[in-house]
Amino acid sequence: MAPKKKVVAVVKIQLPAGGATPAPPVGTALGPHGVQTMEFCKQYNAATEAQKGTIVPVEITIYEDRSFTFQLKTPPTPVLIRQAAGLEKGSATTGRSQAGSLTLEQVREIAKVKLPDLNTEDLEAAAKQVAGTARSMGVAVVG
């Protein structure tokens, strides 16, 4: 059995799918650890090519020998809510004005997408978390 590599750092960043470049934020996050940013960008862009147009968070584990592994996460909940509601951004005055609305079915669909990254395995609990995020953005949940 091979000896385990020692983890030096875990870096979390949100990048556009298929659009990572060595410029900030990638360069500033990985550069201090001696990781080859171009190599990461190539691997990330290849892995997220199918999701172009969304933001995909990534968790990069950097090892002592300057090698790395990364794990893709699901897009942030606000991004999914804005896409489903067809909005550019949430309400500027949450609680006083509504930016848009979602149906319960749309909330459940977003919850299904987010389920692997949430701290629950219950779809209804996940839907409540998504609905809470929608409310905080000024998006009404109808139904």
Side-chain angles (χ1 to χ4, degrees), residues 75-100:
T77 306
V79 171
L80 296 173
I81 290 170
R82 285 196 314 265
Q83 283 179 345
L87 300 172
E88 191 66 34
K89 60 181 187 171
S91 174
T93 55
T94 305
R96 286 184 234 147
S97 66
Q98 295 292 323

Side-chain angles (χ1 to χ4, degrees), residues 8 14 16 21 25 33 36 46 48 52 65 71 73 75-77 81 97-98 100 103 108 114-115 119 121 134 137:
V8 175
Q14 294 183 8
T21 62
H33 301 290
Q36 292 200 356
T48 59
K52 243 185 174 43
D65 63 354
Q71 181 181 10
K73 301 289 186 179
T77 306
I81 290 170
S97 66
Q98 295 292 323
T103 65
R108 282 193 187 97
K114 288 295 296 177
L115 204 54
N119 60 358
E121 293 177 10
M137 292 173 62

Side-chain angles (χ1 to χ4, degrees), residues 7-33:
V7 174
V8 175
V10 176
V11 179
K12 298 176 184 180
I13 43 181
Q14 294 183 8
L15 302 168
T21 62
V26 177
T28 54
L30 301 181
H33 301 290

